[in-house]
Each structure stands twice: as structure tokens, then as C-alpha cells.
């Protein structure tokens, strides 16, 4: 059994949906659980629907949702003819669920509504793609993942109830594979024990795929992306970025930790725990081998570069020249918890402390305000945090040339510099 994940970009046009079908058809006879994201930028569009609804702009919310509806209906008309009526009815059921909600007034917290509305992106995409595949002869069974993946009610960042989910996979998903080779379901979403929809955090469907791979004891997981492979840097920033054929789980976890946007950071653990290899392949060029990520340590990696822009340097100095010791540091960590922010890098000195953070303006403001009770606070914005794994002196010099380095940390494997 294999698990495939198709991201939003791999199904954002009729041609791409047909292309995904060809990829699947080339695995004829294999058992595959397919996780599909919302189409293209649907999740962003649905976020705007929630915002309008929550700000009391009901007509805007309905209008914005209408655009999401139309884009799916248009695509369905183009792709599905014979079973068109049944397929459209299924989409319309999901539309109705959202529209009912939009006609109410918000009385609960934002995050709750977010999940109830945004989850429809993957319900629509999977339902549409499943209908098309069936019509194209790629027989498959559609499954509502909310019947399987149980979470807590921490909306927008829900935590998986592994035990319950395991039982549902055994009771419901495994028997389905006795009758079907391909099961299509949603990533990114789940449900609480009260049947409220939840989401697992943006880009969460890589993680959903890993949950299924783990619980199904899959032989492998494949993420189909628009890049050739995992690259040594973002090719948009670094045209000489190279594809990497093999990586260890450990390397990928480190890369994600430093901010590389390759794979959702939670994805690796469920795979590592069962020693399931993760393939990253290109849906536009399925003949390429892509990257395989596994337990196997990989040596001689090229320098791997991660750039994080919009960074803030916060300098915290003790107010009376006393040493920055355990107590103020513990207080600072409490503030991080309250504000729900984590520094990307920090460095202690005798009477001051430097932290580098993502510039989320409202959080930074709260943090600076709370910290100013203990420290003198100074902020500098518009900085870049550069991380190089497996750095060489030449690479380091090339990438920091002409920049002012404000903070630097180095281990034998990794160098990090905050630059102006
Ligand atoms: N559709 C969701 C998002 O865009 C989840 C995902 O694609 O992984 O964040
Ligand atoms: Mg995505």
C-alpha cells in the first residue's frame, strides 16, 4: 500500500487534474490512499470568506463564496459529463453547509468558524477529482476524512487523537481497500467528537498523508509537487539551487526547523516512527526520480540554504545593569508562551539578550510591551535570517558579502546569520 499526496498546485486546472489521473493510472493494480489539498488558492479565498463573515459583512462573504462555488462548478462541467448530476449534487451539499453558516451571525470564536468554512476547500476538490477519475476509468472510492481523523477542538491547529483515528482506519479504511484499489480523501482537516470540523494548520495535508501512511503501515508516501525535487535552496531566490536525490529524516526535520518550506514540519515523525520512506516527486515530470527521504544518513550534501525575510531583532537589556540571569529569562519564556511566538534565534550576553523573530506586527507589539516591564527593549525590523547547513567558507562569504551581520551562531553543521 502507498500513500500519495497531491498539493493544491497539482490540481488547479483541468489539465493538471487530468495529469494527476495519468500519474495514478500508471500505478494500476496497486493499493493507494490519495490525499488531495484544496485546489490552487482556494484556501486563501475561503479565508477571505471567513474574514468577511466574522466582520459582519455577510453579503461580501456570500459573494466571495460564490466565486469559489463557480470555479468548482465550471471545472466540474468541463471534466465530468456522464455522472455530472450526481457529482454536482455532492458539491452542492458542501456549498449548502457553508451557506447555512454564513447566514447566521458569529457567536463563537473566529477559529471555530474558520475551520467550518475553510474545510470545504478539500471536500470540494476531492469530490470533484474523485468524480472525474471515476469517469475517466480510474476507479476510486471517495471518503470523508472527518469520519476517520479525530482531533481535539483546538481549532486551526487541532491535535490528532491517534488512538481513535487508528481504530477508525482499521474499522473503516482497511476494509474499503478490500474492494477498491484507490481511496481518495482530504488532507488538512479532521473532526472533533462533536462532529465539528477542524483544521491542522496551513499546509497540513502533508501531515495528514503521513498520519495515514503510519496507520496503514504504508510501504511509502509520495508528495507530488511542482518542483523537480527537494532543492538545496529556493530556486526563485537562488537560480543555481540544485535538486537533492536523497535526504535523511533528520536533515529534513532540521531544514524545516530553520524555516525551509519544503514539507510540513510535522510530517516526518509519523514516517520516521515506522521507517516509511517519503518521496518528493514532480507532477509535471513524473519520469524524474525526485528526492527520497529515509532513515539512511546521507553524506556529502551540498550547502543547503534557507532564507527567512521580514525578521525583527529585539534587544533586551537589563534596566539596572544587573546580569540577565535565570529569573528574567524564565519570565521572558512565559511571555513567549502568552504571546504564542518563538524566537528563531537568540543569544545571551551579560546584561542583554538578543532575539530574532518573525515580524508578526501585533505579536511583536505585545511581546515588546510585556518585555518592557522587565527590560529596556529595542527593535530593529526588515532584517533577513540566513541559515546554511553544511556550509563552506566560500558559500558563507558569497551570501553575506556587502551585508551587515548583526547576530551569528555556528555549529559544525549549521551557520545562522541575521543580516541587515
Ligand atoms: N489547503 C491547505 C493549505 O493551503 C492545506 C494544504 O494544502 O496542505 O494550507
Ligand atoms: Mg498546499
Amino acid at each position: 500500500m502507498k500513500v500519495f499526496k497531491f498539493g493544491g498546485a497539482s490540481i488547479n486546472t483541468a489539465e493538471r487534474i487530468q495529469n494527476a489521473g495519468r500519474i495514478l493510472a500508471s500505478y494500476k493494480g496497486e493499493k493507494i490512499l490519495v490525499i488531495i489539498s484544496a485546489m490552487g488558492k482556494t484556501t486563501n479565498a475561503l479565508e477571505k470568506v471567513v474574514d468577511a463573515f466574522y466582520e459582519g459583512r455577510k453579503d461580501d462573504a456570500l459573494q466571495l463564496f460564490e466565486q469559489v462555488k463557480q470555479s468548482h462548478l465550471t471545472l466540474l462541467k468541463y471534466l465530468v459529463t456522464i455522472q455530472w448530476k450526481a457529482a454536482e449534487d455532492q458539491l452542492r451539499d458542501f456549498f449548502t453547509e457553508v451557506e447555512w453558516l454564513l447566514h447566521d451571525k458569529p457567536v463563537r470564536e473566529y477559529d471555530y468558524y474558520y475551520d467550518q468554512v475553510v474545510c470545504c476547500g478539500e471536500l470540494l476538490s476531492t469530490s470533484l477529482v474523485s468524480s472525474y477519475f471515476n469517469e475517466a476509468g480510474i476507479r476510486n472510492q471517495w471518503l470523508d476524512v472527518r469520519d476517520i481523523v479525530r482531533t481535539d477542538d483546538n481549532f486551526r491547529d487541532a491535535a490528532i487523537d491517534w488512538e481513535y483515528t487508528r481504530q477508525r482506519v482499521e474499522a473503516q479504511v482497511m476494509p474499503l481497500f478490500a474492494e477498491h484499489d484507490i481511496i481518495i480523501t482530504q488532507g488538512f482537516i479532521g473532526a472533533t467528537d462533536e462532529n465539528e470540523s477542524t483544521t491542522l494548520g496551513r499546509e497540513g495535508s502533508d501531515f495528514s498523508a503521513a498520519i495515514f501512511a503510519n496507520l496503514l503501515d504504508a510501504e511509502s508516501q509520495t508528495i507530488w509537487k511542482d518542483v523537480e525535487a527537494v532543492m538545496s535552496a529556493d530556486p526563485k531566490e537562488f537560480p543555481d539551487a540544485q535538486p537533492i536525490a536523497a535526504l535523511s529524516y533528520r536533515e529534513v526535520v532540521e531544514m524545516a526547523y530553520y524555516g525551509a518550506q519544503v514539507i510540513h514540519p510535522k510530517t516526518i515523525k509519523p514516517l520516521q516512527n515506522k521507517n516509511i520512506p517519503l518521496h518528493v516527486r514532480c507532477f509535471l515530470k513524473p519520469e524524474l526520480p525526485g528526492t527520497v527521504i529515509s532513515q539512511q544518513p546521507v553524506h556529502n550534501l551540498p550547502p543547503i540554504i534557507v532564507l527567512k525575510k521580514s525578521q525583527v531583532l529585539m534587544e533586551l537589556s537589563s534596566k539596572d545593569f544587573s546580569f540577565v540571569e535565570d529569573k528574567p529569562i524564565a519570565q521572558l519564556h512565559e511571555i513567549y508562551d502568552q504571546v504564542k511566538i518563538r524566537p528563531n534565534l537568540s543569544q545571551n550576553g551579560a546584561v542583554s539578550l538578543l532575539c530574532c523573530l518573525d515580524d508578526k506586527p501585533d505579536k511583536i507589539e505585545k511581546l515588546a510591551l510585556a518585555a518592557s516591564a522587565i527590560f529596556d527593549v529595542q527593535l530593529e525590523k526588515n532584517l533577513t535570517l540566513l541559515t546554511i547547513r553544511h556550509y563552506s567558507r566560500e558559500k558563507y562569504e558569497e551570501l553575506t558579502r556587502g551585508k551587515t551581520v548583526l547576530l551569528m551562531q555556528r555549529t559544525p553543521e549549521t551557520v545562522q546569520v541575521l543580516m541587515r
Side-chain angles (χ1 to χ4, degrees), residues 5 7-8 37-38 40 43-44 122 187-188 201-206:
K5 182 252 171 171
S37 297
T43 304
N44 294 350
E122 345 296 283
F188 175 57
R202 286 301 306 261
E203 301 300 330
S205 49
D206 293 349

Side-chain angles (χ1 to χ4, degrees), residues 18 21 25 79-80 82 129-139:
Q18 290 163 334
L79 286 170
V80 178
I82 306 163
V129 171
S130 165
S131 301
Y132 163 70
F133 283 178
N134 272 325
E135 188 155 308
I138 306 155
R139 306 299 307 164

Side-chain angles (χ1 to χ4, degrees), residues 247-249 271-277 293-298:
L247 286 166
S248 64
Y249 294 131
L271 299 176
Q272 190 278 345
N273 290 173
K274 290 251 177 109
N275 207 354
I276 299 167
I293 298 158
S294 71
Q295 202 74 61
Q296 212 72 11
V298 178

Side-chain angles (χ1 to χ4, degrees), residues 7-133:
S10 68
I11 49 149
N12 65 358
T13 61
E15 292 70 35
R16 287 197 171 175
I17 293 174
Q18 290 163 334
N19 174 69
R22 278 191 297 276
I23 291 177
L24 217 50
S26 73
Y27 288 85
K28 202 170 170 48
E30 297 203 45
K31 302 272 180 207
I32 306 178
L33 182 102
V34 183
I35 299 276
I36 303 180
S37 297
M39 277 174 45
K41 297 271 174 271
T42 305
T43 304
N44 294 350
L46 290 169
E47 286 183 338
K48 296 214 172 69
V49 174
V50 189
D51 288 348
F53 164 75
Y54 209 72
E55 287 161 15
R57 294 182 286 114
K58 177 175 146 189
D59 292 340
D60 289 349
L62 286 165
Q63 173 56 34
L64 289 163
F65 188 60
E66 191 60 34
Q67 294 170 21
V68 173
K69 284 169 63 176
Q70 288 312 322
S71 63
H72 285 83
L73 288 171
T74 309
L75 209 53
L76 184 76
K77 273 210 182 92
Y78 183 80
L79 286 170
V80 178
T81 41
I82 306 163
Q83 294 297 329
W84 172 71
K85 182 75 181 72
E88 192 185 284
D89 285 348
Q90 197 183 10
L91 293 191
R92 291 207 180 272
D93 285 346
F94 298 130
F95 297 158
T96 309
E97 263 181 57
V98 172
E99 281 167 340
W100 269 351
L101 184 143
L102 296 181
H103 279 286
D104 278 346
K105 283 210 164 44
V107 288
R108 295 184 59 172
E109 75 275 25
Y110 175 88
D111 290 354
Y112 164 78
Y113 291 106
Y114 180 100
D115 284 3
Q116 310 319 301
V117 172
V118 166
C119 73
C120 108
E122 345 296 283
L123 292 164
L124 296 174
S125 67
T126 50
S127 145
L128 193 160
V129 171
S130 165
S131 301
Y132 163 70
F133 283 178

